Amino acid sequence: MAVSSRRLQKELTEIKTAGTPCGITLLKADDFQTWFLSLEVLGESQYKGEVFALMFRFDPQYPISAPAVQFVVDDKYKAPLHPHVYSNGHICASILGGEWSPVLSVIAVCITLQSMLASCKEKKRPPDNDRYVAHAPDNPKKTRFVYHESDSAAAP
Amino acid sequence: MCYICREEEHHDQPVEPPVAWVHPCNCTLVAHESCLLSWIQSSQQDASRAPNALKCPQCGTIYELESYNPRTLRFLNKLNSVVSMAGKVVTVAGVSCVIASFGFGVYIILTSYGAYAVQEFLGKDFDLVLTEDPSNWPWHAFINLPLVPVSLIISRTPLFEGFPLVPLFLAWTTSPPVQTTERLMTARWRRAMTSGADTPWGPLINWPPSPLMVTFLYPFVTKLYRRYFRRFQHWVMGTEPSTGTTVRRYVWALNDDRNLQVQVDVNALPAREEGQQQQGRPQGNEEQQEVDPNGEEQEAELPQDPAAVAERTIRVTSASLGRFVGGALLIPKISNWMGAILFRLSKYSPLLRRFLAIRPPRTGAPEVFGKWFDSQPWSQMSVARQLGVGVHMALSVVGGGTKTFAECDPVWWRNSVGLGIFVLAKDCVNLLHLYLTKREIETRRVKSRSFEGVDIKELDLLNPPQNPAALPLPTVA
C-alpha cells in the first residue's frame, strides 16, 4: 500500500511542479486509486481538434503492476477511432501489458498513447470490435490482448 | 534514485538503516535491491510479462541473479515438470476415451436400429442375408447399417431425395447369403442331393424386378409422383403454383406450445369476394407439405408482410421436430404392416397375388456360390466363353436379382408397394385437411347481435334516429 501511494505522490508532485507535456492536462487526481487526464493530439493528424480523456486505475502493487488505462466514454468524451482502440475505450497497447515496466509513469503512458494516435494512418475500429465489446470485462487488464504490428485482436 | 519507487537518496545523507542499491545493467538505471527483486519475482509470475522479467527496460541487458539453488531443488523442479507433462498426456487420453465411448454407443444404437429396419423391411424370410448373430454379418453390414436411420431421416428433407438409400440396396442385393456354420453343415449334408447344374443366380428377367432395378428407378418414381401430386394439390386448393422461391429461413421455436394450426393465407384464395381476377400472388401461400411425400414441416407464411411473403419460413417447434424424426424412423415398421395387410388381401384376389409375386417360403438350403464355381470346367473354356458367362451373371443380378431374391417370397416388394400406398393415402389425407381448413376460413361470418339495452347516444352514428327501436341490423356507423 505504501509503495504505490509514495510513488504516486511523487509523480503527482512532479506534475504539479514541472507541468504536463503539450496536449496533456491533469483533470482529476484526488486519491491514489483513480486519475483522469485529458489528451489531445497536436499538429497535423487525423485527430486534429479532438479532445479525449484517459482514466488511470492503480492497484496497491503499482508500479510493479501496470495501471488499468482506458479512454473515457461518456456524454462529454468519446473513444478515438483507432485500430487499437475499442469503442468502449479499452486500449490494445503493449506497454499496458507485456511491456510494462516500472521505469514508465503516468505521463510516459500518456505520451506513448499520444504518439500512437498521431501516427495513425487510417481511422477505423479494430476488426473484432463488436465481438470484443459485447463480452468485454470492466477492467481492461483482464483481457488477454494479442499484440500485432499493424492491427490488434483481443482474446478475453 | 530508484527507478521503481522513485525514492532518492543523497550521497551525503544516507538513510538509516542502510538499504542495498544495485546497478544491474549497462545504462544509468539503478534501483533498490529489494524493489528490483520484487519486480522480477512478480513479472515472472505473470504470463504476459515473463519473457521480459530479467531484462532491463531501457537498455535490454540481462540481469544476473545469484541464489541458493542446490541440486535438490533443481532435481525437484525437473521432477515436477516431467510429472506435469505426464499429467497433460493423461488428460488428453481421458477426454478422447470419453468421446470415443460416446461415439461407440451412438454407433451401436444406429447399427441395431439398422438391423431392425432391414429385418422389418425385407421380412423374416431374409434371415439368409442378415442373421441375428452379428458375427455372421458380411463386412459391408457394419458400414451400411448405421447409415440406415441417418439416411431415413435425411430422405425426408428436400436435399437428398432418393440418394442415401442407394448404397444400402446396392450392397444387399448383390451379396450372397450369409454363411453360418449351421448352414455350411447342412449344405454339405445335402450336397449329394442337390444337382450341380443349378446356377447360383436367378433368371435374367423376373417379376418382381430385382431390388437393384427398383433402387435405380426409385428416384424417378418419387420425382414423378411429387410433380403430379403437386399439380393435383394446386387444382384442389385453387392456387397458383409457386415460382419456386426456396426456403429462406428456419425459425427455431422449440418452446412453442400452441398447436400450430394449419395455416392458409386467405389472400391466395380465388378472389370471388373481391370480384376480380385471381391475384397472381406468385407464392404458394398456403401451408404446403412441400418437402417430400412424408414431409411434416409447417411453412408459416406471414400473409400481412409483403417482404416475408416472398420468403418462405419453416417453423421448427418441438412438436414438428418429433414428428419429422419419429416418422422417418417408423418407415420400416409401417411398410411391414402395409405389406402384411396386402398379403392378407391377396388371399382374395389372384390378380393381386400375381402382382405381388407371392411365393411359398424358401425351403431349400441357400446355394453356396463357391461350390458352383469350382464345379465348372474353367480351364477348358475359352476366354470368350468365360467373358460371356461373366457378363450373363452380372446382367442377371441386375435384372433378376441374386438367386436368393429370385426364389424367396418377395416380402420387400410388397412392403415397398405398401409403403407407396401409405404415402399416397397420407398425402391425400393432408390435402383433405388443407381443403377443409380453407373452406372453414372461407365460410366464416361474424354474428351480429341486436341493439337491445344499448344507449343510442353511445353509438357512433351519422344520423341518429330518434327511436331506438328503429335501428336496423347491421348498422352503418
Side-chain angles (χ1 to χ4, degrees):
Chain A
M1 182 61 202
V3 176
S4 74
S5 311
R6 280 226 287 268
R7 158 95 187 218
L8 285 169
Q9 180 64 57
K10 290 201 180 298
E11 288 198 38
L12 192 56
T13 318
E14 194 181 334
I15 290 175
K16 294 226 161 90
T17 53
T20 53
C22 285
I24 301 170
T25 59
L26 181 66
L27 293 175
K28 182 171 159 167
D30 299 337
D31 53 29
F32 294 132
Q33 266 78 50
T34 313
W35 286 10
F36 290 90
L37 285 91
S38 84
L39 182 65
E40 201 179 336
V41 185
L42 302 173
E44 290 302 317
S45 80
Q46 302 265 8
Y47 304 96
K48 188 161 179 179
E50 292 176 54
V51 180
F52 308 107
L54 283 166
M55 173 168 73
F56 284 74
R57 275 180 287 181
F58 308 102
D59 63 22
Q61 274 76 48
Y62 179 83
I64 304 278
S65 72
V69 185
Q70 63 185 90
F71 282 100
V72 174
V73 179
D74 61 7
D75 308 326
K76 204 166 154 211
Y77 296 103
K78 292 279 169 285
L81 201 60
H82 187 279
H84 292 176
V85 179
Y86 290 91
S87 49
N88 59 357
H90 288 198
I91 308 167
C92 178
S94 54
I95 57 154
L96 298 173
E99 304 273 331
W100 165 258
S101 108
V103 79
L104 300 169
S105 66
V106 170
I107 299 292
V109 170
C110 290
I111 293 176
T112 310
L113 291 178
Q114 198 182 35
S115 72
M116 180 180 89
L117 290 180
S119 63
C120 169
K121 299 286 180 292
E122 193 185 339
K123 282 173 104 165
K124 59 177 182 180
R125 289 268 173 242
D128 58 338
N129 181 66
D130 297 332
R131 188 173 54 88
Y132 173 71
V133 171
H135 305 299
D138 174 55
N139 189 330
K141 283 177 77 173
K142 295 200 176 120
T143 313
R144 257 182 289 124
F145 287 105
V146 178
Y147 304 114
H148 297 293
E149 284 303 317
S150 50
D151 53 29
S152 67
Chain B
M1 184 184 72
C2 169
Y3 79 86
I4 294 176
C5 60
R6 305 276 170 105
E7 295 281 346
E8 295 179 350
E9 189 176 329
H10 294 279
H11 191 66
D12 42 358
Q13 287 166 340
V15 175
E16 289 298 329
V19 288
W21 285 84
V22 65
H23 172 234
C25 61
N26 288 334
C27 62
T28 54
L29 290 182
V30 289
H32 293 130
E33 189 167 37
S34 54
C35 290
L36 190 57
L37 283 174
S38 69
W39 162 245
I40 289 175
Q41 186 183 351
S42 110
S43 57
Q44 276 177 337
Q45 309 282 21
D46 185 13
S48 62
R49 292 192 304 201
N52 299 328
L54 287 173
K55 273 199 285 192
C56 169
Q58 218 164 276
C59 63
T61 319
I62 312 279
Y63 299 145
E64 281 177 23
L65 291 176
E66 280 180 338
S67 64
Y68 178 60
N69 195 0
R71 273 215 288 263
T72 319
L73 178 61
R74 277 179 276 171
F75 168 71
L76 285 175
N77 277 334
K78 201 159 221 115
L79 191 63
N80 193 26
S81 53
V82 166
V83 172
S84 295
M85 184 80 69
K88 264 193 240 182
V89 170
V90 166
T91 312
V92 168
V95 168
S96 49
C97 266
V98 166
I99 294 181
S101 53
F102 179 67
F104 192 61
V106 168
Y107 176 81
I108 293 213
I109 291 179
L110 291 180
T111 309
S112 37
Y113 175 82
Y116 158 79
V118 167
Q119 264 192 335
E120 289 287 327
F121 195 71
L122 296 184
K124 284 288 183 310
D125 217 16
F126 275 81
D127 235 16
L128 305 167
V129 185
L130 201 72
T131 53
E132 287 293 325
D133 188 2
S135 59
N136 286 328
W137 288 347
W139 65 272
H140 55 74
F142 290 103
I143 303 178
N144 275 324
L145 286 183
L147 289 179
V148 165
V150 173
S151 62
L152 275 177
I153 295 178
I154 289 181
S155 69
R156 291 187 90 185
T157 64
L159 306 170
F160 301 98
E161 283 169 354
F163 163 64
L165 298 177
V166 167
L168 302 176
F169 282 109
L170 270 178
W172 249 286
T173 53
T174 51
S175 71
V178 167
Q179 313 287 350
T180 58
T181 43
E182 184 192 322
R183 292 203 191 127
L184 277 176
M185 290 203 300
T186 50
R188 210 162 290 177
W189 172 267
R190 293 195 181 191
R191 198 196 328 204
M193 300 196 229
T194 53
S195 61
D198 263 345
T199 54
W201 64 76
L204 199 60
I205 307 287
N206 199 8
W207 179 264
S210 86
L212 217 56
M213 298 268 293
V214 170
T215 314
F216 286 138
L217 292 176
Y218 174 76
F220 299 112
V221 168
T222 45
K223 273 212 181 59
L224 278 172
Y225 167 73
R226 264 183 235 158
R227 192 187 309 172
Y228 287 115
F229 193 81
R230 193 161 305 162
R231 278 209 211 153
F232 176 59
Q233 181 170 355
H234 284 305
W235 175 75
V236 166
M237 299 291 293
T239 58
E240 300 259 318
S242 69
T243 53
T245 49
T246 50
V247 174
R248 286 298 168 83
R249 42 188 190 118
Y250 282 79
V251 174
W252 288 86
L254 286 175
N255 284 326
D256 200 347
D257 264 340
R258 301 178 286 135
N259 224 342
L260 274 187
Q261 277 239 318
V262 171
Q263 293 195 8
V264 176
D265 186 0
V266 181
N267 292 331
L269 299 177
R272 295 169 279 142
E273 287 112 50
E274 287 151 4
Q276 294 168 335
Q277 277 281 326
Q278 184 171 9
Q279 297 287 351
R281 250 162 132 205
Q283 354 35 6
N285 283 348
E286 80 227 13
E287 183 93 41
Q288 277 201 20
Q289 308 302 332
E290 122 114 331
V291 179
D292 172 299
N294 299 331
E296 293 284 339
E297 270 130 19
Q298 316 240 343
E299 278 181 30
E301 277 275 350
L302 310 171
Q304 273 70 38
D305 184 2
V309 150
E311 187 178 290
R312 284 219 173 123
T313 349
I314 285 196
R315 211 183 157 83
V316 180
T317 66
S318 53
S320 78
L321 200 62
R323 279 171 78 170
F324 184 72
V325 171
L329 296 180
L330 272 180
I331 286 178
K333 191 76 199 165
I334 290 177
S335 52
N336 198 10
W337 280 335
M338 292 300 297
I341 291 177
L342 280 176
F343 184 62
R344 282 226 217 118
L345 286 178
S346 71
K347 291 196 182 116
Y348 303 111
S349 156
L351 188 63
L352 193 60
R353 250 203 306 268
R354 283 217 49 183
F355 178 70
L356 294 180
I358 295 188
R359 301 190 197 106
R362 225 191 126 91
T363 48
E367 290 293 334
V368 177
F369 196 69
K371 179 169 71 73
W372 177 84
F373 238 29
D374 292 336
S375 71
Q376 289 290 322
W378 284 110
S379 46
Q380 291 162 11
M381 285 195 271
S382 66
V383 174
R385 185 155 159 72
Q386 282 182 12
L387 201 63
V389 170
V391 168
H392 186 219
M393 208 156 70
L395 277 181
S396 63
V397 166
V398 170
T402 59
K403 189 148 190 190
T404 325
F405 276 90
E407 286 190 3
C408 282
D409 182 18
V411 178
W412 61 274
W413 171 244
R414 60 173 181 261
N415 281 349
S416 313
V417 171
L419 184 65
I421 295 178
F422 176 80
V423 163
L424 181 65
K426 182 157 104 59
D427 282 344
C428 289
V429 166
N430 275 336
L431 192 56
L432 181 69
H433 190 188
L434 275 178
Y435 179 71
L436 288 178
T437 308
K438 181 184 109 148
R439 286 242 58 107
E440 191 261 324
I441 290 180
E442 278 176 350
T443 56
R444 279 187 190 175
R445 295 276 177 271
V446 182
K447 288 214 293 202
S448 282
R449 293 188 204 267
S450 77
F451 277 93
E452 288 169 11
V454 175
D455 187 5
I456 198 172
K457 296 186 204 26
E458 303 262 331
L459 298 174
D460 229 352
L461 300 176
L462 292 173
N463 297 316
Q466 306 307 321
N467 186 2
L471 279 177
L473 294 167
T475 323
V476 174

